[in-house]
Amino acid sequence: MRPALEVVGGAVRRPWSGGGAVVAASGLRWVLSLLFAVPVAYGVWRLVLPGTSAGERVDHALHAAMGVLMIAMAWPWGMDLPVVPQVVLFSVGALWFVAAAPFRARGGSRGRVVVAALPHVVMMGAMAWMVSAMGSSGTASDGGGSAGMHDMAGMDMSGGSGLASMSLTGAGSVATAVVLAIVLGVLGLVWLTRALDQARGRRQDGSGPEGDGVGATDVVSVLAPACHAAMALGMAVMFAVLA
């Protein structure tokens, strides 16, 4: 069995092979789990909600699956999940959002709809990259035993007291993780701002408070960007920790 990934206090940790120690501080794991549980719950709700179109059901199924697997990544048992199906799922998910975007215009601007889909493409692609990076480190540790823990491809293992701190070492990998952390953080803040504006009863263009005759807050219009914000911000934290 591969050594289990631990996300604790701003570091990704993995026990030494043969060591049964578990990092006691689990606050960050719980915070991330609760954060990712928000889009999971929303996605499942939209899946079963009457009136949801077939295309939207695929969207919400992909986001719910992403949330579940991000929760798994934050806990030791998550590293035991097979890597290839996850990479395939989220690579296909990225392609789905690209391919489906032009058909969502409904008489509006196709260009605007495609641009609106890009953040979801970024999240799907980022998820596939993260799973692949974690899987590569796990494969290296399987074949190398204790020595492999010191010399994983693209990973740096250091630490004491029977625990090792894992982080990306290749300049390209670290740069990718940093860029994705920044991009996802910005996307999360944009979505959070949009959700707060909607919650205040404003239109999506920011004009007019609720009650002045220019529009009312809709539950979905608030929950959708809020859940996307939770996903993006949680992923940003994970990439920042990994870098």
Side-chain angles (χ1 to χ4, degrees), residues 26-53:
S26 59
L28 182 57
R29 290 199 303 261
W30 281 109
V31 169
L32 290 171
S33 296
L34 292 173
L35 196 61
F36 292 128
V38 173
V40 172
Y42 175 75
V44 172
W45 175 61
R46 290 299 303 274
L47 272 171
V48 301
L49 188 68
T52 304
S53 68

Side-chain angles (χ1 to χ4, degrees), residues 176-212:
T176 299
V178 170
V179 169
L180 287 173
I182 294 172
V183 170
L184 289 166
V186 170
L187 289 175
L189 292 176
V190 170
W191 270 319
L192 182 60
T193 300
R194 187 175 302 170
L196 292 174
D197 284 344
Q198 293 288 355
R200 293 190 187 102
R202 297 172 181 249
R203 286 182 173 177
Q204 194 159 340
D205 62 5
S207 65
E210 182 178 2
D212 65 359

Side-chain angles (χ1 to χ4, degrees), residues 9-237:
V12 179
R13 299 184 179 274
R14 186 187 297 272
W16 291 98
S17 57
V22 177
V23 178
S26 59
L28 182 57
R29 290 199 303 261
W30 281 109
V31 169
L32 290 171
S33 296
L34 292 173
L35 196 61
F36 292 128
V38 173
V40 172
Y42 175 75
V44 172
W45 175 61
R46 290 299 303 274
L47 272 171
V48 301
L49 188 68
T52 304
S53 68
E56 290 174 332
R57 292 184 196 277
V58 174
D59 297 347
H60 296 305
L62 286 169
H63 284 302
M66 183 189 297
V68 169
L69 291 171
M70 287 302 297
I71 292 173
M73 274 185 154
W75 293 88
W77 51 268
M79 288 299 288
D80 292 329
L81 298 176
V83 171
V84 174
Q86 297 181 67
V87 174
V88 171
L89 172 64
F90 295 113
S91 297
V92 171
L95 293 175
W96 161 260
F97 280 103
V98 171
F103 300 98
R104 302 177 191 267
R106 297 176 182 174
S109 170
R110 287 192 175 185
R112 181 175 298 178
V113 174
V114 171
V115 171
L118 290 180
H120 303 285
V121 176
V122 170
M123 287 200 296
M124 291 287 160
M127 183 68 181
W129 185 88
M130 180 184 287
V131 172
S132 179
M134 295 296 186
S136 298
S137 69
T139 301
S141 67
D142 282 342
S146 180
M149 297 297 290
H150 290 280
D151 192 23
M152 290 182 181
M155 293 287 177
D156 174 55
M157 302 295 293
S158 60
S161 304
L163 292 176
S165 177
M166 182 180 72
S167 60
L168 295 168
T169 56
S173 297
V174 172
T176 299
V178 170
V179 169
L180 287 173
I182 294 172
V183 170
L184 289 166
V186 170
L187 289 175
L189 292 176
V190 170
W191 270 319
L192 182 60
T193 300
R194 187 175 302 170
L196 292 174
D197 284 344
Q198 293 288 355
R200 293 190 187 102
R202 297 172 181 249
R203 286 182 173 177
Q204 194 159 340
D205 62 5
S207 65
E210 182 178 2
D212 65 359
V214 296
T217 301
D218 175 74
V219 173
V220 171
S221 71
V222 175
L223 289 180
C227 292
H228 294 327
M231 178 72 77
L233 292 174
M235 291 181 70
V237 171

